[in-house]
């Protein structure tokens, strides 16, 4: 590794320095699946070459930071632009929908690292156009490009992390994606603090996003390609080199043997989009799409949107303080989820999360309607909001993006992840479009009650359709989701 690479990755490695990756119990960890998702470990209590993986996960998480930053940056800047430009938020979501579908195709065709580099272009150009815009049209184009960029990031960040992570800590590293999205949102909040004293600061806020975009492109130039993707492309020497960088040279032979064994008798071509809806894959793809649909229909954006007015009702007049409390709750909960992902498992966290969200929504709804609770309505509303965000961040937030690359077979993984993320952005867009109409027609209390019912349905669906992936091979997961295969 050159001096420049060492300097670039030093910060990324430091981020993960405190991650506990010790393996207790058995001295041997078996390969995660036929597709080489996880690898054989023979070192008691340790993961060979573990420091090699973390810097590259850190580089990929720059895409997650940009995801959160672009989502959050407009909220503070909007009132300093124009009160008539609220719909530029929808432009970002529309671009993200396009980007999420595009990301899977690009990742399959050009590879994961090259797609990251391509993704940095709309992210950087979009930020630049927004920062220098002197017309509404330029600002909209910039937001559209940024949306395409975060849509691609939403698909390829969890995909890349899952394919380079050791089985034993795949859950922890995968959930870090959501943590960095939360950090990106908080970074946007911090970046907006000088706005009160300098109304033109919004240009700097948009321009800041150029820096991590450039770092993402540079970092991926030094990062190894997914060895799974390289092997599938027939690039055997390159796959061996990637394995050596990620896991150490002593692991090359056994991992390549895993890849070879997984491909025995398989001559299937790369899956097309229509293959996702075949009898073979339809059920597992529907699970991925349903998880993101429930995630959005459970009301996370509505709770965040109304958090400021809820906090004002109990005397917290500062928008920054209200947003900071919600953001801090999200980061705290996601951090806890990261430590539990490989211990408690994905399915149990999802059920716990949606159950907590259902209870919190009931508390929010009752605090606004029950006369007996009127004296405590403000306090209960704040408590319900914080508990809801904490519950969301424990499972409903981080788990879907982690679970998807695990439940999808290698042949369909990139496109299926992209399709599921497309459902995320489409439902996000639709909810943003109709949410206020529902509030005006039925009242916020009734809407909160509806969100609670969605959370209950999510618990029932997850209990009956989602399999636990902790410590399980992808082959076992796919067979459990579709026994006919």
């Amino acid at each position: 590794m050159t001096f420049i690479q060492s300097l670039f990755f030093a910060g990324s490695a430091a981020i993960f320095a405190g991650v506990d990756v010790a393996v207790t119990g058995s001295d041997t960890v078996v390969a995660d699946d036929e597709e080489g998702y996880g690898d054989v470990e023979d070192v008691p209590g340790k993961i060979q070459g573990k420091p090699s993986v973390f810097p590259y996960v850190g580089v990929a998480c720059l895409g997650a930071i940009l995801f959160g930053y672009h989502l959050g940056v407009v909220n503070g800047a909007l009132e300093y632009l124009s009160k008539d430009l609220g719909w530029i938020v929808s432009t970002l979501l529309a671009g993200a929908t396009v980007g999420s579908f595009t990301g899977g195709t690009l990742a399959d065709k050009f590879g994961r690292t090259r797609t990251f580099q391509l993704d940095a272009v709309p992210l950087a150009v979009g930020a630049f156009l927004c920062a220098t815009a002197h017309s509404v049209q330029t600002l909209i184009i910039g937001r559209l490009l940024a949306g395409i960029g975060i849509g691609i990031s939403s698909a390829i960040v969890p995909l890349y992390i899952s394919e380079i992570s050791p089985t034993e800590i795949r859950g922890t590293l995968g959930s870090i994606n959501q943590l960095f999205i939360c950090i990106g949102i908080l970074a946007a909040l911090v970046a907006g603090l000088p706005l009160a004293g300098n109304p033109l600061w919004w240009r700097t806020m948009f321009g800041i996003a150029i820096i991590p975009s450039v770092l993402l492109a540079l970092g991926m130039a030094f990062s190894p390609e997914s060895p799974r993707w390289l092997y599938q492309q027939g690039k055997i020497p390159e796959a061996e080199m990637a394995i050596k960088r990620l896991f150490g040279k002593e692991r090359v032979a056994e991992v390549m043997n895993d890849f070879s064994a997984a491909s025995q008798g398989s001559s299937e071509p790369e899956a097309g989009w229509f293959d996702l809806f075949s009898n073979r894959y339809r059920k597992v793809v529907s699970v991925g799409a349903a998880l993101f649909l429930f995630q959005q229909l459970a009301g996370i954006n509505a709770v965040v949107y109304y958090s400021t007015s809820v906090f004002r009702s109990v005397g917290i007049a500062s928008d920054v303080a209200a947003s900071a409390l919600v953001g801090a709750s999200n980061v705290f909960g996601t951090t806890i989820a990261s430590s539990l992902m490989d211990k408690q498992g994905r399915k149990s966290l999802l059920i716990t999360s949606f159950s907590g969200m259902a209870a919190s929504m009931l508390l929010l709804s009752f605090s606004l309607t029950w006369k007996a609770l009127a004296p405590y309505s403000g306090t209960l509303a704040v408590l319900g909001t914080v508990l809801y965000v904490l519950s969301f961040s424990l499972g409903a937030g981080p788990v879907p993006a982690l679970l998807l690359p695990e439940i999808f077979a290698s042949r369909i993984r990139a496109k299926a992840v992209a399709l599921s993320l497309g459902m995320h952005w489409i439902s996000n867009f639709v909810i943003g479009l109709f949410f206020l109409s529902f509030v005006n027609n039925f009242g916020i209390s009734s809407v909160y009650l509806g969100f609670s019912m969605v959370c209950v349905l999510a618990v029932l669906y997850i209990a009956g359709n989602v399999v636990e992936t902790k410590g399980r091979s992808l082959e076992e997961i796919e067979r459990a989701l579709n026994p006919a295969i």
Side-chain angles (χ1 to χ4, degrees), residues 248-333:
K249 62 181 180 180
E250 65 279 358
R251 297 285 307 284
V252 173
E254 60 179 301
V255 175
M256 291 301 294
N257 286 336
D258 290 340
F259 290 170
S260 178
S263 64
Q264 290 298 320
S266 176
S267 58
E268 292 181 294
E270 181 181 297
W273 284 103
F274 288 108
D275 290 327
L276 302 183
F277 305 99
S278 66
N279 290 333
R280 179 178 178 181
Y281 297 119
R282 183 167 54 238
K283 181 176 180 179
V284 69
V285 171
S286 68
V287 169
L291 286 178
F292 275 111
L293 185 63
F294 280 123
Q295 182 194 68
Q296 294 303 305
L297 292 180
I300 180 60
N301 292 318
V303 170
V304 172
Y305 181 82
Y306 267 87
S307 63
T308 299
S309 60
V310 168
F311 294 150
R312 283 176 179 169
S313 69
V314 292
I316 303 177
S318 171
D319 292 352
V320 172
S323 299
L325 183 56
V326 171
S329 300
N330 203 358
V331 171
F332 176 74

Side-chain angles (χ1 to χ4, degrees), residues 60 106 174:
L106 292 175

Side-chain angles (χ1 to χ4, degrees), residues 8 29 153 239 275 304 441 463:
F8 182 87
V29 179
S153 294
D275 290 327
V304 172
N441 290 328

Side-chain angles (χ1 to χ4, degrees), residues 99-168:
S100 64
F101 285 109
T102 305
T105 301
L106 292 175
D108 276 341
K109 184 175 181 61
F110 299 109
R112 292 20 172 175
T113 56
R114 183 61 58 86
T115 301
F116 271 112
Q117 291 179 302
L118 293 173
D119 184 36
V121 175
L123 286 170
V125 173
F128 176 80
L129 290 177
C130 289
T132 59
H134 290 285
S135 67
V136 174
Q137 291 78 8
T138 303
L139 187 62
I140 294 304
I141 293 173
R143 290 293 285 174
L144 181 64
L145 288 174
I148 291 173
I150 68 172
I152 295 174
S153 294
S154 69
I156 62 173
V157 172
L159 178 66
Y160 179 73
I161 292 176
S162 69
E163 291 188 338
I164 68 169
S165 297
T167 306
E168 297 81 5

Side-chain angles (χ1 to χ4, degrees), residues 114-475:
R114 183 61 58 86
T115 301
F116 271 112
Q117 291 179 302
L118 293 173
D119 184 36
V121 175
L123 286 170
V125 173
F128 176 80
L129 290 177
C130 289
T132 59
H134 290 285
S135 67
V136 174
Q137 291 78 8
T138 303
L139 187 62
I140 294 304
I141 293 173
R143 290 293 285 174
L144 181 64
L145 288 174
I148 291 173
I150 68 172
I152 295 174
S153 294
S154 69
I156 62 173
V157 172
L159 178 66
Y160 179 73
I161 292 176
S162 69
E163 291 188 338
I164 68 169
S165 297
T167 306
E168 297 81 5
I169 55 171
R170 191 177 66 222
T172 298
L173 295 183
S175 61
I176 284 175
N177 171 53
Q178 180 69 20
L179 177 61
F180 275 78
I181 292 174
C182 299
I183 290 173
I185 294 173
L186 281 179
L189 171 66
V190 173
L193 293 178
L195 271 171
N198 182 8
L200 293 179
W201 181 255
W202 64 267
R203 294 188 181 276
T204 302
M205 291 173 62
F206 283 115
I208 287 172
I210 298 174
I211 299 173
S213 302
V214 173
L215 291 177
L216 177 63
L218 292 175
M220 280 298 159
F222 298 137
S223 299
E225 181 55 79
S226 163
R228 282 86 177 163
W229 182 85
L230 290 170
Y231 186 87
Q232 292 164 6
Q233 301 299 309
K235 300 179 179 181
I236 306 303
E238 291 91 338
E240 292 176 342
M241 183 60 68
I243 295 167
K244 180 179 178 181
R245 293 180 63 186
L246 289 168
F247 305 114
K249 62 181 180 180
E250 65 279 358
R251 297 285 307 284
V252 173
E254 60 179 301
V255 175
M256 291 301 294
N257 286 336
D258 290 340
F259 290 170
S260 178
S263 64
Q264 290 298 320
S266 176
S267 58
E268 292 181 294
E270 181 181 297
W273 284 103
F274 288 108
D275 290 327
L276 302 183
F277 305 99
S278 66
N279 290 333
R280 179 178 178 181
Y281 297 119
R282 183 167 54 238
K283 181 176 180 179
V284 69
V285 171
S286 68
V287 169
L291 286 178
F292 275 111
L293 185 63
F294 280 123
Q295 182 194 68
Q296 294 303 305
L297 292 180
I300 180 60
N301 292 318
V303 170
V304 172
Y305 181 82
Y306 267 87
S307 63
T308 299
S309 60
V310 168
F311 294 150
R312 283 176 179 169
S313 69
V314 292
I316 303 177
S318 171
D319 292 352
V320 172
S323 299
L325 183 56
V326 171
S329 300
N330 203 358
V331 171
F332 176 74
T334 305
T335 303
I336 298 300
S338 297
S339 65
L340 296 176
M341 203 67 69
D342 290 309
K343 298 175 182 178
Q344 300 299 320
R346 287 60 148 162
K347 183 176 181 177
S348 61
L349 283 178
L350 278 174
I351 292 176
T352 301
S353 175
F354 277 107
S355 299
M357 291 161 65
S360 301
M361 277 297 182
L362 281 177
L363 180 60
L364 281 168
S365 179
F366 292 160
S367 70
L368 297 173
T369 54
W370 281 15
K371 293 182 180 179
L373 298 177
Y376 317 101
S377 61
T379 301
L380 290 176
V382 172
L383 180 63
T385 299
V386 173
L387 288 177
Y388 177 89
V389 174
L390 278 172
S391 298
F392 175 85
S393 61
L394 282 174
V399 170
L402 164 65
L403 192 66
L404 265 55
E406 294 181 322
I407 65 175
F408 295 142
S410 179
R411 181 171 177 256
I412 66 167
R413 187 170 299 134
K415 289 185 175 67
V417 168
L419 179 67
S420 300
L421 264 298
M423 177 62 69
H424 164 89
W425 292 113
I426 290 172
S427 56
N428 197 329
F429 179 82
V430 171
I431 291 171
L433 197 61
F434 294 106
F435 173 70
L436 288 180
S437 297
F438 273 93
V439 171
N440 292 332
N441 290 328
F442 302 104
I444 187 61
S445 178
S446 297
V447 172
Y448 281 164
L449 187 61
F451 287 147
S452 180
M453 295 301 100
V454 170
C455 292
V456 172
L457 290 176
V459 170
L460 297 176
Y461 179 86
I462 292 164
N465 294 276
V466 176
V467 298
E468 182 54 68
T469 61
K470 182 192 69 171
R472 301 183 68 178
S473 72
L474 295 190
E475 183 182 25

